[in-house]
Structure formats: C-alpha cells, structure tokens
Amino acid sequence: MIGRMLMIVALMFIVAVPTMAQGDYDRNSPEFRENTSQFMCLCGCGQDHFECNMEGCGLNEQFKTEILEMMNDDGYDKSEIKEHYVAMYGEVILTAPEKSGFSLTAWVTPFILLGGAGGGIIYLIRKWVRKSKQLMKPELPNGLEDETESDILHSLIDEERKKHF
C-alpha cells in the first residue's frame, strides 16, 4: 500500500517536472533558437536574429530579450510570436516567405518564367538547326540520295586504295 502511494507520488512528480520547466527558456534552448532564427535582423547585416553578430547592433539584443519574455512570461509559442512580429513589421522581417497567397506566387513565378523561357529558347535553336540543315542539303529525288552518297564514298575509298596499295 505504501509502495503503491510512493509510486503514484513519484509518477506525479515525473509528469509535473517537465511541465514546470517548460516556461524556463534561456538563450541556449532550441526553442529560443527556432523563434529568433525565423526573423531577419533589421540592422542590415543580412542574418537572422539568432546569428546576428554585428558590432553595435542594439536591435538584436532588444529583440532577443523581447522573445525570451514572450516565451517565459507570456507563454507565447512560435506561431504567436511570428504573428506578433509580422503584424508589427510585415512579412519583410521573415527569413522565409509564407507558403500561401501572394508570397508563394511572388517566389515561384520567376522560376516558372525562367523555365518557360529556357524551354522556348531550346525549341527555337532546334528549329533553326533543322532549317539550316535542310537548306544546306541539296534536294535529290527519293532513293537517289542514298545511292549517290554511297557511290561517291566507294569511289573515294577505291582511289585511296589504289594510291597506297
């Protein structure tokens, strides 16, 4: 009976400890890295907020402190933090575009256009090459073309054979 009670208390302690520690994020936690790396630093360094190491960037430290407060004090998750900063700065702050709506169209359209233009250029080049081959080759009646080429080839081979043998 006492063993069963100790087991229940131990089980409750095991279950309760991770939930209590859930709000204690620091700058080395993977959750903090995920949250800060989804935003571009606004100091002009071109890095995300987690990686920004530009000297004199006061924006980065303030931003990291705000995110830690949101995670620990307010209990915000990744999507809520993202919504907060997108509402404040717009989609410009994101390191990767949204996968919906105009953002997706704006990122995909140039690649589609480049692929179509490349395919069109290849088609035109092949068409021009075919046309130039037809212009360079004299038109002979059907069947005669193969015989004429074969006769010329055999006569050249015979001439060379006579010269050397």
Side-chain angles (χ1 to χ4, degrees), residues 24 36-37 49 54 68 84 86 98 101-102 129 131 149-150:
D24 295 331
T36 54
S37 63
H49 270 286
M54 192 166 164
L68 270 177
H84 172 77
V86 168
E98 295 284 335
F102 180 73
V129 167
K131 191 173 186 177
E149 286 180 8
S150 177

Side-chain angles (χ1 to χ4, degrees), residues 89-110:
Y89 296 105
E91 287 187 22
V92 174
I93 197 163
L94 297 176
T95 55
E98 295 284 335
K99 293 182 178 124
S100 64
F102 180 73
S103 295
L104 182 64
T105 304
W107 280 89
V108 171
T109 302

Side-chain angles (χ1 to χ4, degrees), residues 11-135:
L11 185 61
M12 287 175 48
F13 182 71
I14 290 172
V15 171
V17 168
T19 58
M20 287 189 300
Q22 202 170 29
D24 295 331
Y25 299 108
D26 63 357
R27 291 180 181 241
N28 295 325
S29 65
E31 293 86 2
F32 176 74
R33 180 185 181 100
E34 284 180 30
N35 279 307
T36 54
S37 63
Q38 68 181 342
F39 303 110
M40 291 294 292
C41 186
L42 300 174
C43 70
C45 65
Q47 296 177 331
D48 61 55
H49 270 286
F50 187 78
E51 297 292 329
C52 178
N53 56 4
M54 192 166 164
E55 245 179 80
C57 178
L59 298 171
N60 195 31
E61 286 305 312
Q62 178 185 357
F63 196 83
K64 287 179 178 179
T65 304
E66 285 178 15
I67 288 181
L68 270 177
E69 287 175 4
M70 286 181 186
M71 291 171 67
N72 289 328
D73 299 340
D74 302 332
Y76 282 20
D77 65 352
K78 186 177 177 179
S79 63
E80 291 171 328
I81 293 172
K82 183 177 182 179
E83 287 173 14
H84 172 77
Y85 283 110
V86 168
M88 190 182 299
Y89 296 105
E91 287 187 22
V92 174
I93 197 163
L94 297 176
T95 55
E98 295 284 335
K99 293 182 178 124
S100 64
F102 180 73
S103 295
L104 182 64
T105 304
W107 280 89
V108 171
T109 302
F111 296 107
I112 292 172
L113 291 176
L114 282 173
I121 290 171
I122 290 172
Y123 172 76
L124 280 175
I125 290 173
R126 287 183 177 177
K127 186 176 177 181
W128 289 339
V129 167
R130 253 186 271 126
K131 191 173 186 177
S132 68
K133 282 182 180 178
Q134 287 176 354
L135 290 175

